[in-house]
Amino acid sequence: MLLYSKQKRNQNPKGNRFLVSINVLGSAGPIRFVVKEDETVANVMDCALRCYAREGRLPVLGSDINDFVLYSPYSAAEELKPWERIGSRGWRNFVLCKKKPESGTPSASSSRKASWSWRAWLNKSIGITNTIPSH
């Protein structure tokens, strides 16, 4: 009888909860928080983006969940649908990525400019100057 009462007490009437770990592509480490098993993927992505911004992580991502895709590291070929339940497949680890632009590829000059500004920021933050020693 004692065993039965312990099992009854451990059941959560609000639904099962579990810890998810979401790695954001380009960020230093995962974001971890507790979610309900029946939460939608869209709600979990929204919560992850809010946690990411609250912690002041880099790179700055934005808050529109329509710009992102959630994958499982076990099945990277298929993305999770926003209306899907987060606990439906039994996974606890995920990867959050920005969606690729749908309007085609950007021009070469704009991608070159973007990569230059990124390199300039990195060099400036590390303290590297753009001097090339002459021989």
Side-chain angles (χ1 to χ4, degrees):
M1 198 64 175
L2 181 62
L3 182 62
Y4 175 74
S5 63
K6 281 185 181 179
Q7 288 177 349
K8 189 97 168 161
R9 205 174 342 146
N10 290 338
Q11 291 177 351
N12 188 354
K14 297 179 183 176
N16 291 334
R17 295 173 185 238
F18 57 90
L19 181 71
V20 293
S21 178
I22 299 178
N23 288 304
V24 178
L25 215 57
S27 183
I31 299 170
R32 293 185 179 101
F33 53 93
V34 177
V35 297
K36 290 183 182 180
E37 189 175 46
D38 60 347
E39 284 287 329
T40 63
V41 170
N43 288 345
V44 172
M45 288 171 52
D46 184 47
C47 186
L49 290 172
R50 282 188 280 123
C51 289
Y52 187 91
R54 185 175 42 240
E55 292 176 10
R57 293 186 177 215
L58 292 175
V60 177
L61 297 177
S63 61
D64 187 11
I65 63 169
N66 296 322
D67 294 340
F68 296 92
V69 178
L70 194 66
Y71 290 100
S72 167
Y74 309 115
S75 174
E78 65 179 276
E79 65 186 60
L80 295 168
K81 307 294 184 237
W83 58 85
E84 216 175 323
R85 300 289 174 208
I86 197 71
S88 65
R89 300 188 187 188
W91 298 330
R92 304 297 186 250
N93 299 318
F94 302 95
V95 178
L96 185 69
C97 308
K98 274 203 170 208
K99 285 183 180 177
K100 292 182 180 177
E102 295 178 14
S103 61
T105 59
S107 65
S109 63
S110 66
S111 64
R112 197 176 321 123
K113 182 179 179 183
S115 68
W116 179 85
S117 62
W118 179 83
R119 287 185 192 138
W121 173 83
L122 180 64
N123 290 340
K124 184 178 178 182
S125 64
I126 296 174
I128 298 174
T129 59
N130 288 334
T131 58
I132 300 173
S134 59
H135 295 284

